[in-house]
Amino acid sequence: MKKNYLILFVFLCLLPNYLLSQVVDNSVPQELIDTTLSHDKEQLQTAKFYSPFGMNLLSNFVSNISLSSAFNQGENGKVELKYNDNWLTIGLMADQKISSEASEATLLGLQGLSPGTTVGLSLQKLFWRASVSNSSFNNFQKAKESYAARNNIKDPRLLTYQEILSRGNETERKLVRNIMLRSPFFVNVNYAITKTSHTYVSDSTSLLETSREHLAPSFSVSVGMPLNTGEKFNSYLAFGYNYTVSYASGNEVTLISPFGTSGNFISQDIVFGEPVRQSDNIVNVEYRSNIKVATNNDKSVFLGIAPLASYSFDTERLAISLPVYFINGVTDDGKPTGLQGGLRIGYLTSTQSGEFSSLKEGLTTQLIVSVPFDVFGNLKQ
Amino acid sequence: MEIIVETKSEGGHLVLYVHDTVNDKRILILRDNAAGRIMLTRGVKYRFEWRVWSLQSASYHIYAEVVPSHPAFPLFDWPEEFQEALYKEAHNDGGGFYFTL
């Protein structure tokens, strides 16, 4: 119930942005973006390399609200609003890091973005050279004439390639089989800004803590294409490049000091040194596939997998993640319905020494719950 | 004389071309949900072509007519009158024909 309120709150925070801009939508890659506070190094490492939830190299096609949990490391609430027109998807995204102790998530405060918030704008364009060559088109006309004559088709203009391929005789199918029906491909560009907050000590004598906030930008570009052509295809392959800026906190130490003259001691965890600005260049390869696993009340139920490999040239680290989503049916017009749940398994290792991290050290898991919704009513695909 | 075309797409992508084969030029391009009209010239051979594509189920409809009506281009209503072409799974399809007024 508490998470439901958090999701609703995140959505309400973002609504003014939508009303002001009237442009919307989707996902900005989160890989390697530091959305954590400076006190938790393990959390920092995880957040730097794994998209908390949602899509990676390509935009979501449907507006949604989602919540992911990295178990004891807190949750992320995320809203994606999108608008599709003329094969261009314009998207706006907001992602709020919620610590494990937080009772509410605040995207926008009086001074702008709250720490732990990422906002992003994305543009995704579909390119499609759909027309077939003259010789292929002429072969199709020949096949149609033959098929229509055999079957007494009144208006052969209505016949399609797949109809000939599935019901034509061998000669007709042969004429159509070699026609290249090109699929579209997608180009996606994202820009995002993450606000981070760091508390640290720079003076070892006074141990006075200082808090500073930073805006860390991220830019990415990716290209995605369907893998197979023809009747049987349901998977994508995407390649991407990502430039990110992040702020790495200093070393955390534990100070033990006497508590007055009581003879007792107290301990205090502090971070020494200012956060260091780092830039990173990352390449990504992502495969995505929907596998039909069942039919529920005439609706297909899909298992979606989207393995992603990312390599950082600057920090020489390799990240592999395997999100598995359960898509609980789609409507007659192809839109997902109900809650979409999933699990993301990730593995992070340094490649500097030539030795990979053990599974125990490098493995992370996240739970994902997403609610697709159509905020515009005229959602088009 | 002109051709009027209307396309509808739900869940997938549709593109429609009217191609002037004499001048090798696309004179009309419609994408997904759209409507358009273009003047046609007598004696020119045109190619009317459409493609549909999606990674999921989708439905489409294309309506086209020439005004004033001409026997070389009877009213075109794909897949058939008042119906939508429904693809239940991922698909990559299309069709087309030549016509001369």
Side-chain angles (χ1 to χ4, degrees):
Chain A
M1 185 60 76
K2 187 173 135 185
K3 287 180 180 175
N4 290 339
Y5 283 123
L6 288 173
I7 290 171
L8 184 62
F9 186 78
V10 169
F11 173 66
L12 291 175
C13 285
L14 194 66
L15 197 56
N17 281 348
Y18 156 63
L19 294 174
L20 285 172
S21 63
Q22 288 293 305
V23 291
V24 243
D25 149 25
N26 44 23
S27 70
V28 173
Q30 297 294 300
E31 314 89 317
L32 313 186
I33 297 175
D34 178 1
T35 60
T36 62
L37 304 180
S38 64
H39 295 294
D40 190 331
K41 293 197 79 176
E42 185 183 335
Q43 189 175 345
L44 169 73
Q45 198 176 48
T46 304
K48 272 177 77 75
F49 270 84
Y50 293 115
S51 160
F53 43 84
M55 317 288 260
N56 292 318
L57 298 186
L58 296 179
S59 291
N60 278 325
F61 286 103
V62 183
S63 302
N64 66 89
I65 301 174
S66 57
L67 185 71
S68 76
S69 172
F71 299 103
N72 63 339
Q73 298 172 11
E75 288 87 28
N76 273 76
K78 181 177 178 181
V79 176
E80 294 182 275
L81 297 177
K82 52 162 296 186
Y83 179 70
N84 295 316
D85 194 26
N86 203 21
W87 296 357
L88 175 68
T89 301
I90 304 170
L92 195 63
M93 179 279 295
D95 179 338
Q96 170 67 49
K97 184 80 189 171
I98 308 163
S99 73
S100 52
E101 293 87 19
S103 58
E104 65 177 30
T106 308
L107 279 173
L108 296 165
L110 292 174
Q111 296 172 330
L113 285 178
S114 300
T117 300
T118 299
V119 292
L121 175 70
S122 71
L123 297 173
Q124 181 164 288
K125 178 72 178 171
L126 178 148
F127 295 90
W128 191 12
R129 287 184 60 205
S131 191
V132 301
S133 68
N134 286 334
S135 60
S136 294
F137 196 77
N138 292 337
N139 282 341
F140 175 52
Q141 300 310 306
K142 283 180 201 163
K144 273 200 317 182
E145 284 167 18
S146 166
Y147 180 87
R150 276 194 315 109
N151 296 284
N152 294 320
I153 305 283
K154 212 165 89 178
D155 191 352
R157 298 179 304 169
L158 301 171
L159 294 171
T160 68
Y161 298 106
Q162 296 303 340
E163 192 164 346
I164 303 286
L165 282 172
S166 58
R167 295 181 194 160
N169 61 27
E170 183 53 35
T171 311
E172 292 151 7
R173 286 204 305 270
K174 195 177 174 185
L175 282 167
V176 175
R177 196 177 295 137
N178 293 327
I179 296 176
M180 182 185 281
L181 298 177
R182 294 189 201 93
S183 296
F185 67 94
F186 299 88
V187 175
N188 187 285
V189 179
N190 286 291
Y191 184 78
I193 294 175
T194 301
K195 190 166 193 177
T196 57
S197 175
H198 297 263
T199 303
Y200 58 92
V201 169
S202 55
D203 184 345
S204 61
T205 309
S206 66
L207 296 181
L208 191 65
E209 284 194 321
T210 306
S211 287
R212 282 189 66 182
E213 292 178 342
H214 299 94
L215 287 176
S218 165
F219 169 79
S220 70
V221 58
S222 55
V223 178
M225 64 209 82
L227 270 187
N228 309 312
T229 57
E231 207 173 5
K232 303 289 179 189
F233 66 103
N234 56 2
S235 55
Y236 274 113
L237 187 63
F239 300 91
Y241 164 76
N242 190 207
Y243 173 79
T244 66
V245 171
S246 60
Y247 290 85
S249 58
N251 294 325
E252 187 177 282
V253 296
T254 302
L255 284 181
I256 299 174
S257 52
F259 185 67
T261 56
S262 65
N264 295 321
F265 291 86
I266 58 169
S267 68
Q268 182 185 8
D269 292 332
I270 57 172
V271 176
F272 259 117
E274 286 188 43
V276 178
R277 186 182 189 277
Q278 295 177 331
S279 60
D280 217 343
N281 293 276
I282 303 123
V283 290
N284 308 286
V285 181
E286 183 186 55
Y287 172 78
R288 191 181 305 169
S289 185
N290 285 342
I291 302 159
K292 188 175 172 182
V293 290
T295 303
N296 182 16
N297 293 332
D298 289 335
K299 309 286 185 207
S300 297
V301 178
F302 291 94
L303 180 70
I305 60 167
L308 169 74
S310 301
Y311 182 74
S312 161
F313 288 98
D314 299 72
T315 58
E316 295 182 50
R317 289 200 283 188
L318 174 70
I320 298 168
S321 69
L322 177 62
V324 179
Y325 304 98
F326 299 96
I327 302 167
N328 187 26
V330 293
T331 61
D332 289 339
D333 54 6
K335 296 190 178 77
T337 60
L339 283 174
Q340 319 296 319
L343 179 69
R344 178 186 290 265
I345 302 165
Y347 172 73
L348 171 68
T349 182
S350 169
T351 58
Q352 282 174 329
S353 64
E355 287 185 13
F356 292 145
S357 302
S358 67
L359 278 182
K360 190 180 175 185
E361 290 170 344
L363 206 64
T364 59
T365 50
Q366 285 180 297
L367 287 175
I368 302 157
V369 178
S370 174
V371 185
F373 66 97
D374 183 355
V375 73
F376 298 104
N378 64 339
L379 185 72
K380 292 177 279 187
Q381 290 191 33
Chain B
M1 211 173 317
E2 65 178 354
I3 184 169
I4 300 170
V5 188
E6 189 178 331
T7 60
K8 286 184 182 172
S9 166
E10 277 289 326
H13 289 297
L14 181 152
V15 62
L16 184 142
Y17 305 111
V18 177
H19 197 100
D20 177 340
T21 63
V22 175
N23 298 301
D24 194 18
K25 190 178 174 185
R26 283 178 198 155
I27 58 170
L28 183 67
I29 301 174
L30 298 179
R31 296 187 178 97
D32 294 345
N33 296 284
R37 55 174 61 199
I38 191 78
M39 295 300 294
L40 302 175
T41 308
R42 286 180 194 278
V44 171
K45 186 180 180 185
Y46 294 100
R47 173 170 150 179
F48 186 98
E49 180 184 12
W50 75 93
R51 291 284 313 282
V52 292
W53 176 92
S54 180
L55 285 174
Q56 59 189 15
S57 63
S59 59
Y60 309 94
H61 185 221
I62 300 171
Y63 175 87
E65 64 176 324
V66 167
V67 286
S69 60
H70 193 285
F73 194 103
L75 193 137
F76 178 78
D77 209 340
W78 180 75
E80 54 187 297
E81 202 173 355
F82 306 123
Q83 298 289 316
E84 289 188 339
L86 176 63
Y87 293 82
K88 292 188 174 178
E89 293 182 347
H91 52 274
N92 188 5
D93 200 6
F97 53 89
Y98 291 109
F99 69 95
T100 306
L101 301 178

